[in-house]
Structure formats: C-alpha cells, structure tokens
Amino acid sequence: MQIYDYLIIGSGVAGLNAARLIPKDKKVLLVCKKSPWDCNTFWAQGGVATAVDDKDIPLHIQDTLTAGVNYNDKNAVEILSKNSLSAIHNLIDAGLKFDLNSKGELAFTKEAAHSRSRILHADGDATGRMIHMFLIEQFSHEILTEAVVSDLLIEDDVCYGAQFFINETEEKVIYAHNTIIASGGVGSLYKYHTNSTTIAGEVQGICLEKGIQLKDMEMIQFHPTVVKGTHFARKPLLSEALRGEGAHIVDEDGKRFVFDYHEDGELAPRDVVSRAIFDYAKKNRKKVFLSFENFEKEFFIKRFPNIYANLKDIGFELPFERVPISPAFHYTMGGIPTDSNAKINNMKNLYVVGEAACTGVHGANRLASNSLLEGIVFSKIAVEHSLKNNFKISYKNYNKKILSYIRNNEIDKNIKNSLRKLMWENAAIVRKQSNLEYALNEVQKFLQQDVGRLLRLRLLTAQSILQAAVNRKESLGAHFLEEEK
C-alpha cells in the first residue's frame, strides 16, 4: 500500500507554496479539481500586501484589525505581519520577480484601507498569475488533475488521507501521513462571483460531516468593482489597485457618491464600498461606473496591461470610457478553523491553508491584498510544523468502511442553479433576517432530496453560511442586516 508523506488538496498559492517548501526527498501528491490553472490565485489581479519594514508591522497590523472591525484574532494578525517580509523575500530569493520602481527597488503601491503604500505587484495587474506560474515552475512533485474530493478519511482525530472522484463513476483512495487542505472558498455557491468555477465549498461540507464546525461563515466579502452585464460565469474584476491609483466610482452624472457613505470614498473598506454601490443604485435608480479619467493612456497600459487587454476584448477602450460596475461575491473570511500552526483544531495531522482556512486573520472584512500573503505565510508555517511534528500513520488503523458515492444525479443541475440564485438574493451584500431564514429553510429542503455527493456537500456549506448569518443578530463588518419593514 502506497502512503504519501504529504497529500495537498488544491493548486492555488497556498497549496503550491506548501509543495515548494516540502523537501524534495518527501513523497508528495498534489491533487486539483481540474487543471492547476483553475484556481483563484491565477485570476488575482491585485497585489500581495506585506509590511514594508519592521516599523511598518504595527501599522499593517492595525490596518488589518481596523478593516476587520477588530473581530480578527490579533495573534493571527501579528503572525501574518511579522512573517510577511521573510516569507516574501523567501520567494524573491527563489527567483520570483516583483515589479520595481525607477530606482530598481521594490515598487510598493497603495490600496483601499491601507494607511500607506505596501502592496507589491508582478506584471502590473497579474500578480496572482505571475506568482502561480512561478510556483508551477518550482513544482517538483507528483500531481493528479481532474480529481474531486469526495471524502476525508478521518478517525480518532487522525486524517489518513482522502477519497476522490477521478471521473464520473470511479473513485480513488489516497493515504498520506500529512494532509494539507488548500481547496479555496465557496464562490460558486453564489450567482455572481469573481472566482474560478471550480471553487464551490465541497471540502468545507466534508468537514461538517466529520464534526469539524466551520467558523465565521457569515463573513462573506463582495468585491465592489466587477464589470456588469457580461455573460461569463466568473465576472471580470476591476482590481482594487485601480482605485488606489486614481480611478473613481461615479454615477451616470459623474457624481462620486461613495463620499456620502464614508469619508475615504472609493478607498473605504470593501464592505462599505459594496454597500454604498448597492444602496445608491437601488435608491436612486442610477447606473454606477468606474471612471479612469485621471489616467494617461500610456501609463494605464503599462500599469494595468491585462485589465486594458481584457476590457478591450469586451468592447471598452480604457482609460477613455467608463465601465459599468456592480459588486459580486469575492472572498470567504470564514472557513475551517485552525490553530496558529495552520493545523485544524484537535486534529493530529490535518492542516488547512489559504481561503479554505479560518485563521482569524481577516476578521469581519479582509484588508485588500492580505489574501495572497495569508496563503504564502501560513503554508510555510504548516510545512514547518508538520516537518517538526513528523507524524506517521498506519493505514491499517483506519477501520471505517470506505463508502462509494454517486457523484451527480439528474436533479442536481436545477437545484444547483436555484441554490446560487437563493444565496445571491438572500445572503449577499445587504441581508434581512426573514430572508436568511427563508433561504435556510429552502436549503434544508434541498438536503432532503436525492442529490449527488458534490451537491450535497455544497448544500451543507451553504447551510452553514445561512445558519451563521441567522445566528448573528446584529450587523458586523461584511454581515450587514437591514431592518425589516
């Protein structure tokens, strides 16, 4: 029986960076749902935040806590910021190239809710893609594509590995001494989102089945500036960096109305800006746009080459035209709870890193560009802890029956579409208690039906989001409750 030293579930920044840091003499298998490119990291336009120097660490910590409405785990925030410089320079020393300024130094830029410039970029507006490509080039282990997790093999606080669908009907069991979950968030549970379509929260559903309760699942972040009116499942994003460098949110008459909601206008935290757009458009029945009138074309093309090209492909000539925008699902602050070593609480050898994790770093609202940083920092911590821990399994000690699952049923497609609509209309930017309770009841009805394995797991995760939202009776950060009329 083959046993891997490490099983890594997910091919984004957290999973790939973990793989990079595991010694080459270890037997490692990375498993991804489709191709390695089908992950949120690949689509990340924004940069990666880091403390600029030791003096900036307290400021970075404070900015993160302020954005998170002080609901963050302060210890986790301190770990993030204090390890940021060393983690970033570890990548630079390995060969990753960030953009430089005219002096040949790292070019730090500013984004919303940051008190200073501390965001690094690569290839202008393709930071996630460049980091992803770099980590793929560094990858020296075994990879299995087109494999979808159907179960985790957990008994007596030990994870023995996982079970996967490798096609529509066949399943495969993989044993490992250490398992690292890096499977991302829950984007495809919502009708409008910026995520890879592979990101759907199935692993979170498995954790719920195993008695691992998810944390802060009501804390969902919506990105305020997403291109409106496209037919794509994954909505084109207009990076936070655009507003950080001078783009304005305006109505059809050119009014910068976000200042009516927050003194920082477009540079307010994401939850504030998203609600401002939602509220203003609804009350005033006006369209909302992102305006680039402050940019010179030559600078814009150099600084945002991919946004320029992508928007040109769908008919916009930037920076001369305004682009219609609306918020869409972007990020999950909550997830599978971990300790400070990125290990799932009470588990001996099961780790979770990246968006799937709830480290407590982001609190009630993630600070812009802290997500890539979290994946980089905590994947390094997870690998270091696991190597020190050196836990070993014996697959013979796993005594539970390996179950066989039906991947999909005929009724799944309609229910899946209904679920996405239900979540968008009832558990999105602005919420009502009665709507949340209605949606929760509908999801519980869906769970009574004969659905396939993957949809059942999505429904369990959706139920967790809705139950957490119902339980939180007052607004906090991204969880914003509207009074019932």
Side-chain angles (χ1 to χ4, degrees), residues 123-395:
D123 192 26
D125 56 355
T127 308
R129 186 177 306 181
M130 298 308 290
I131 291 175
H132 193 268
M133 290 171 64
F134 170 78
L135 291 173
I136 287 284
E137 290 169 357
Q138 299 285 309
F139 188 79
S140 60
H141 304 288
E142 187 179 344
I143 190 166
L144 177 63
T145 62
E146 303 288 339
V148 185
V149 189
S150 60
D151 211 350
L152 293 170
L153 309 182
I154 294 176
E155 186 174 2
D156 296 332
D157 302 328
V158 173
C159 181
Y160 291 83
Q163 187 173 339
F164 298 85
F165 290 112
I166 56 174
N167 55 44
E168 284 299 317
T169 58
E170 190 176 350
E171 290 179 278
K172 181 182 181 71
V173 171
I174 297 168
Y175 292 97
H177 297 303
N178 296 280
T179 297
I180 300 176
I181 297 169
S183 54
V186 305
S188 288
L189 296 183
Y190 281 80
K191 186 175 181 180
Y192 303 111
H193 64 83
T194 64
N195 288 193
S196 164
T197 54
T198 62
I199 307 299
E202 287 109 348
V203 177
Q204 288 87 336
I206 293 172
C207 286
L208 288 166
E209 286 186 329
K210 304 301 178 184
I212 300 169
Q213 294 304 308
L214 306 180
K215 187 174 185 297
D216 299 338
M217 291 302 286
E218 74 276 26
M219 299 303 177
I220 302 290
Q221 186 172 80
F222 295 83
H223 200 289
T225 52
V226 174
V227 180
K228 186 176 182 180
T230 62
H231 63 277
F232 309 112
R234 187 192 67 80
K235 300 303 176 185
L237 184 68
L238 292 169
S239 169
E240 194 99 29
L242 288 163
R243 285 174 282 136
E245 298 196 31
H248 296 156
I249 295 172
V250 299
D251 68 10
E252 54 202 59
D253 300 318
K255 179 182 177 182
R256 292 176 65 186
F257 62 86
V258 184
F259 283 98
D260 296 343
Y261 295 82
H262 195 282
E263 62 182 4
D264 292 334
E266 294 94 347
L267 296 182
R270 286 178 175 176
D271 63 318
V272 175
V273 180
S274 290
R275 285 197 299 273
I277 293 171
F278 178 86
D279 183 70
Y280 187 85
K282 182 179 179 181
K283 287 181 177 177
N284 296 279
R285 297 183 181 277
K286 288 188 176 183
K287 295 177 181 177
V288 178
F289 300 86
L290 196 61
S291 168
F292 312 95
E293 61 186 354
N294 289 337
F295 292 97
E296 294 292 334
K297 183 174 182 178
E298 185 178 348
F299 171 82
F300 190 91
I301 293 174
K302 183 178 180 180
R303 175 65 182 84
F304 302 105
N306 296 285
I307 291 174
Y308 175 81
N310 292 339
L311 270 290
K312 192 176 181 66
D313 285 345
I314 57 177
F316 293 98
E317 185 60 48
L318 302 184
F320 306 114
E321 290 186 81
R322 299 184 303 184
V323 177
I325 58 169
S326 66
F329 172 96
H330 187 58
Y331 190 86
T332 314
M333 273 78 76
I336 306 164
T338 72
D339 62 17
S340 59
N341 293 309
K343 186 169 65 64
I344 294 179
N345 298 321
N346 302 319
M347 295 295 300
K348 293 183 171 63
N349 62 336
L350 181 57
Y351 298 82
V352 55
V353 290
E355 192 175 347
C358 182
T359 60
V361 157
H362 305 302
N365 184 42
R366 175 173 67 84
L367 180 66
S369 292
N370 266 353
S371 53
L372 289 175
L373 179 64
E374 182 194 21
I376 293 165
V377 167
F378 282 92
S379 58
K380 186 171 184 288
I381 289 171
V383 170
E384 289 171 348
H385 182 268
S386 65
L387 290 170
K388 183 179 178 181
N389 203 31
N390 196 30
F391 189 86
K392 301 293 182 184
I393 67 159
S394 170
Y395 75 91

Side-chain angles (χ1 to χ4, degrees), residues 4-5 120 334 415 469:
Y4 288 90
D5 292 307
L120 293 173
I415 294 177

Side-chain angles (χ1 to χ4, degrees), residues 2-13:
Q2 185 181 53
I3 301 178
Y4 288 90
D5 292 307
Y6 288 87
L7 170 63
I8 301 173
I9 302 169
S11 61
V13 61

